[in-house]
Amino acid sequence: MDDTHNNRTSLAKGAKDIAKEAKRHAAKNFSKAVDRASDEYSTHRSYNRFQNEDEDDNNYNAHSHPDGRYGNNADDDEEGASSDATEGHDDEDEIYEGEYQGVPAHGGGKARDGQVALGQPVPDSLKSRKELENERQADEEELAQQYELIMQECGHGRFQWQLFFVLGLALMSDGVEVFVVGFVLPSAETDMCVPNSGAGWLGSIVYLGMMFGAFFWGGLSDKLGRRQCLLISMSVNGFFAFLSSFVQGYSMFLLCRMVSGFGIGGAVPIVFSYFAEVLAREKRGEHLSWLCMFWMIGGIYASAMAWAIIPHYGWSFSMGSAYQFHSWRVFVVVCALPCVSAVVALTFMPESPRFYLEMGKHDEAWMVLKQIHDTNMRARGEPERVFTVNRIKIPKQLDELVEMQNESANPVLKVLSKIKSELRGIWSTFLRCFTYPVKDNTLKLAAVWFTLSFGYYGLSVWFPDVIKHLQADEYASRVKIHNSERIEDFTFNFTLENQIHRNGVFLNDRFIGMKFKAVTFIDSSFLNCYFEDVSSVGSFFKNCTFVDSFFYNTDIDDVKLTNSKVINSSFHHNKTGCQMTFDDDYSAYWVYFVNFLGTLAVLPGNIVSALLMDKIGRLSMLGGSMVLSGISCFFLWFGTSESMMIFMLCLYNGLSISAWNSLDVVTTELYPTDRRGTGFGFCNAMCKLAAVLGNLIFGSLVGITKAIPILLASSVLVCGGLVGLRLPDTRANVLM
């Protein structure tokens, strides 16, 4: 009897011990679920902790399969359910068959409206906007750390190099667009008979288009994606650049180049944002600097093509007098080829996985990351390596107000509403660039971009114009002056160049198949003279008299006959339009060659900045390069010859390129992903605004004074460099 009683007592005690052990085991499982990241990553290099907290209640602990897929293991789930859900419990606990007891499920405890059940997380609808933003900020910081680990696992290899060359073509197109303006400007304005009052608009209007394009496309890339916006912007640039080579009117040509500039304006902010988001921290500074070399390659390409194509006047055709397709138009078509190549190549590249994660598109991001990993592993000869990431942290998605449209609404109204919504989103993101913690960085970056661009583009205009001014002075010093000459019964069938004829008399002379180049006749008389197939460039007849003369197929018109008298003379089949010729035009070749040398001079600076970007730091290179560039401007005092000015141009370009490269890297790294395109676009828009102002201010000072351009460029560059040194160092930062 006593043995039976003792057995029952021992059995009851054992049951209680089992219940307590089960309860302790359930609590231990709950603790493991919360701290899963640190435990599992240290032993299995897993990323399970970074899954959303709101998915934990569904017991969504994904396990990696040998083939790289992710999903739930059904066998493990059933075993876990039977062990956790059906074991012993205390009297106050109610256990239901099949219910997981680790993390409380959403909606498990009923609560009245506006109240939260005990032990349940607070739903987003009851949280303030500030609380939601703080949670999103914490999620983004956690994602940044995990994303860095993922990129390290993916490695740096074939995929990054493929994207490097594709985005390089897009950046090359931006460099070509900048140089096309300067190379085409003289030829286009001459071909289209643009008066002096309209000259110079081409350069300014292209930069204005690029300014608005940088802001628009940069902001839109934070909403629609890097790849999609870059494809659209490059397509716009390529189409209108190609179209501009065929239009005949100057106003239409300006419009096409402005829209073309608007399209290419999105290249710089999107390209650097896109590429930075597939690079690990230790590779980012160096490879973004190597990417900058494509801008230099674009300048070299444009200079070489201009040198090879534009001066060849024979590379042209005409359809009557109404349609002229000269060599500079061929040059415009050739310069659109890098853009077309970039568009074709971009169609084969995926979207930025970092952008997908920012938008809450986990599966799409995971697929792209797996593609990066598998591509690099195959290139290394390790195709068996498995992508071990199964869940990635997703930042909390904040709801935005969207204007709903009726399904039966006008399609045009739907499109307009969509455009309005996107513009509102871009503006909202732009305003967030001026909030804590990026407000100070935005203001400093805008100042550095503006000062560097003002000095660079201002001097880029001033240098060639000064060289042209020196050439013009030298050319004028070799002019031949003829006074009171008398020429009778002579045939001119050769070129007259750089001459001045005063008080001359030409009697029964014939001007057949010849050219006047920089020739001026002053107070001269032409009696019974015959002009046929005559072309003139920079030539004028001032206060001259024509008596009984005949003109056939010439370009001598009222513009070139200044205060001249035409008596009993006739004009037949005059050439219409402005005549262009580059035959034996040494200055045209020289201008292109000078730009080619100036662009090539940045190659050493590009190499040095790429190799030292991660060693000496972005800020040291940025500030040091701008200060040295400003100091080098003072050597312009000694630029009294063409060769000296060319040397100064090469020195300045070589010193300033390091500042450009480091500024691109710093701007990319200082902005978080949800504002990177917008912030970079705004800074690049400030760059183009400074380019417009620099062109206007420095261009107006050519031939007047050296002091103001030198002091102005030096002061803004030094001040900008000092501001750049105040920016935070981003060398050790993960990409937020």
Side-chain angles (χ1 to χ4, degrees), residues 289 441 444-453 609 612-613 616-630 655-667 670 716-730:
S289 299
N441 295 337
K444 292 175 183 177
L445 284 172
V448 177
W449 275 93
F450 186 90
T451 53
L452 181 58
S453 177
S609 63
L612 300 181
M613 184 68 69
I616 68 174
R618 291 90 158 108
L619 302 186
S620 299
M621 187 170 293
L622 173 61
S625 177
M626 291 186 69
V627 171
L628 289 176
S629 300
L655 290 173
S656 62
I657 191 62
S658 297
W660 284 110
N661 293 359
S662 54
L663 187 57
D664 289 331
V665 175
V666 170
T667 306
L670 277 180
V716 297
L717 287 171
V718 172
C719 291
L722 295 177
V723 174
L725 291 173
R726 303 287 296 174
L727 288 167
D729 189 9
T730 59

Side-chain angles (χ1 to χ4, degrees), residues 164 168 171-172 175 179 272 284-300 452 456 596-616 621 625 629 650-665:
F164 174 80
L171 195 60
M172 177 181 172
F179 283 90
F272 285 99
R284 197 162 53 235
E286 177 184 353
H287 287 271
L288 286 176
S289 299
W290 288 123
L291 185 64
C292 296
M293 291 187 65
F294 280 94
W295 199 92
M296 175 202 70
I297 295 173
I300 293 175
L452 181 58
Y456 178 82
F596 178 82
L597 289 179
T599 308
L600 192 62
V602 307
L603 179 60
N606 262 314
I607 296 175
V608 171
S609 63
L611 296 177
L612 300 181
M613 184 68 69
D614 291 318
K615 292 181 174 62
I616 68 174
M621 187 170 293
S625 177
S629 300
C650 294
L651 177 63
Y652 173 76
N653 286 349
L655 290 173
S656 62
I657 191 62
S658 297
W660 284 110
N661 293 359
S662 54
L663 187 57
D664 289 331
V665 175

Side-chain angles (χ1 to χ4, degrees), residues 508-554:
N508 297 324
D509 294 325
R510 290 165 299 280
F511 300 84
I512 300 176
M514 55 91 62
K515 297 177 181 178
F516 293 114
K517 184 177 179 181
V519 178
T520 303
F521 296 92
I522 302 175
D523 298 324
S524 298
S525 299
F526 297 85
L527 307 176
N528 196 27
C529 292
Y530 182 79
F531 297 83
E532 181 179 354
D533 292 329
V534 176
S535 299
S536 59
V537 177
S539 300
F540 300 94
F541 300 86
K542 298 180 179 180
N543 298 319
C544 295
T545 301
F546 296 86
V547 179
D548 297 328
S549 297
F550 184 84
F551 298 84
Y552 182 83
N553 194 31
T554 70

Side-chain angles (χ1 to χ4, degrees), residues 40 106 153 223 237 245 307 343 358 387 405 428 440 452 562 570 722:
E40 292 190 358
H106 287 303
E153 178 175 341
K223 299 296 181 183
N237 170 250
S245 64
W307 192 8
V343 171
E358 199 68 29
F387 186 48
Q405 288 289 328
S428 175
D440 291 342
L452 181 58
T562 307
S570 59
L722 295 177

